[in-house]
Amino acid sequence: MEKKEDFLRTPVWYPVLAGYTFLTSFVKLRKEALAALVAGENYDDYEDDDEVNPAVEGIIEELRKPMAAIPGNCFVSVDSCAPTDTERFLNKRGAVYSPESAWKYLTLSDKVRRAARRGEVEYICLRPFRRMNRTREFRLFIRDGQLNAMSQYYLLRHFRRLEGVREKYWERAGEFVEHISWMLPLKTLVMDIYFTAGGEIMIVDLNPWGGATDPLLLRSWDRDWSKPAGIVLMDPPTRISGDVSVSF
């Protein structure tokens, strides 16, 4: 029997919440491919095609068909994490086009390799790449099956337009959590969501409560969660007015 925490793995929660997330395909990894992932083996490691690990060739071929069925770029991840610690994610927000690049950036991710080493990886997960509007990305903090707090996800700037829709977003997110709560075997968790241009909520990812999960604008897990904190946004930049003299 699976533990409730296993629900946070994409291949487990996806069949339950498929109607509320992006279309996703899954490719199961053979044990030899898992070993190559842990070792960080990709095509760049080989000088001659004859030297390529058959397990690497095999998984790249298995990725080819589902990736070909996705128009444009793909976003690639594994069961419990994505290669967000790679240069590709920083520069391209994770967009990959070929099976070779998908495998490469999984093997370059320390986070993905650590998860594989811990036995937390069974599948490669593929979905169409979508360039997210950063004003519509949020992290939900769900406690005992109810929305407790909500944080702006992108923390590098204040978005003035969010001030006008903050209550609408909070209300909509609360209704969404209430609507799907009965499907969640794990009642306390963190959920990343995206509001589409039409106002629909799409689940991006599920994360464990506390631990290594970033509380973002909630700042710390060591806080009073007994009362809802509402939606928390980045503060506007401080403006200095009046006569200001600067000397060096």
Side-chain angles (χ1 to χ4, degrees):
M1 181 180 292
E2 291 181 335
K3 296 181 293 185
K4 286 185 178 181
E5 290 75 14
D6 288 337
F7 185 72
L8 300 175
R9 296 173 55 241
T10 306
V12 180
W13 67 257
Y14 180 80
V16 179
L17 299 169
Y20 306 95
T21 189
F22 305 99
L23 184 66
T24 306
S25 299
F26 300 91
V27 176
K28 189 170 177 64
L29 288 157
R30 299 173 185 268
K31 63 179 182 180
E32 296 84 2
L34 273 171
L37 178 59
V38 170
E41 292 186 43
N42 64 72
Y43 270 129
D44 290 351
D45 298 327
Y46 306 111
E47 296 181 359
D48 189 319
D49 287 346
D50 293 337
E51 298 177 353
V52 176
N53 183 339
V56 174
E57 288 187 312
I59 189 59
I60 286 174
E61 286 307 309
E62 289 179 33
L63 288 170
R64 200 171 300 283
K65 187 173 181 179
M67 288 187 70
I70 296 174
N73 291 333
C74 296
F75 183 86
V76 61
S77 62
V78 293
D79 307 47
S80 57
C81 62
T84 55
D85 55 343
T86 61
E87 182 181 357
R88 186 72 173 196
F89 190 88
L90 293 175
N91 295 337
K92 300 286 187 179
R93 304 191 73 179
V96 295
Y97 184 73
S98 69
E100 290 82 4
S101 62
W103 178 255
K104 175 180 178 178
Y105 288 102
L106 289 176
T107 63
L108 289 177
S109 169
D110 289 336
K111 184 166 66 170
V112 169
R113 293 201 311 275
R114 284 196 301 267
R117 195 175 297 117
R118 293 192 300 264
E120 298 172 359
V121 175
E122 289 185 69
Y123 294 89
I124 292 175
C125 312
L126 303 164
R127 69 172 188 244
F129 173 76
R130 182 167 185 161
R131 189 170 292 280
M132 305 283 195
N133 182 323
R134 285 171 165 155
T135 66
R136 302 202 296 263
E137 294 179 277
F138 291 90
R139 173 159 285 183
L140 307 185
F141 299 83
I142 301 170
R143 189 170 183 263
D144 298 328
Q146 296 183 326
L147 181 62
N148 185 279
M150 179 174 175
S151 171
Q152 178 180 328
Y153 193 87
Y154 185 71
L155 305 185
L156 294 186
R157 58 165 292 190
H158 167 75
F159 295 105
R160 188 168 60 179
R161 69 171 298 273
L162 286 178
E163 297 294 345
V165 295
R166 65 186 304 160
E167 295 306 322
K168 174 185 174 183
Y169 276 3
W170 172 253
E171 182 179 349
R172 181 70 186 90
E175 292 171 350
F176 178 74
V177 171
E178 183 178 358
H179 178 69
I180 66 168
S181 180
W182 69 275
M183 303 183 198
L184 306 176
L186 196 62
K187 299 301 182 184
T188 298
L189 71 158
V190 175
M191 178 182 291
D192 295 335
I193 64 163
Y194 181 70
F195 285 92
T196 67
E200 183 181 5
I201 291 178
M202 303 293 282
I203 298 171
V204 177
D205 197 13
L206 302 184
N207 300 282
W209 182 278
T213 302
D214 192 337
L216 300 182
L217 291 176
L218 277 297
R219 305 300 182 190
S220 172
W221 291 106
D222 185 20
R223 64 188 307 277
D224 183 7
W225 294 94
S226 62
K227 296 180 181 179
I231 182 170
V232 187
L233 305 175
M234 287 289 289
D235 292 329
T238 302
R239 294 186 177 182
I240 301 175
S241 59
D243 295 330
V244 179
S245 60
V246 179
S247 60
F248 296 93

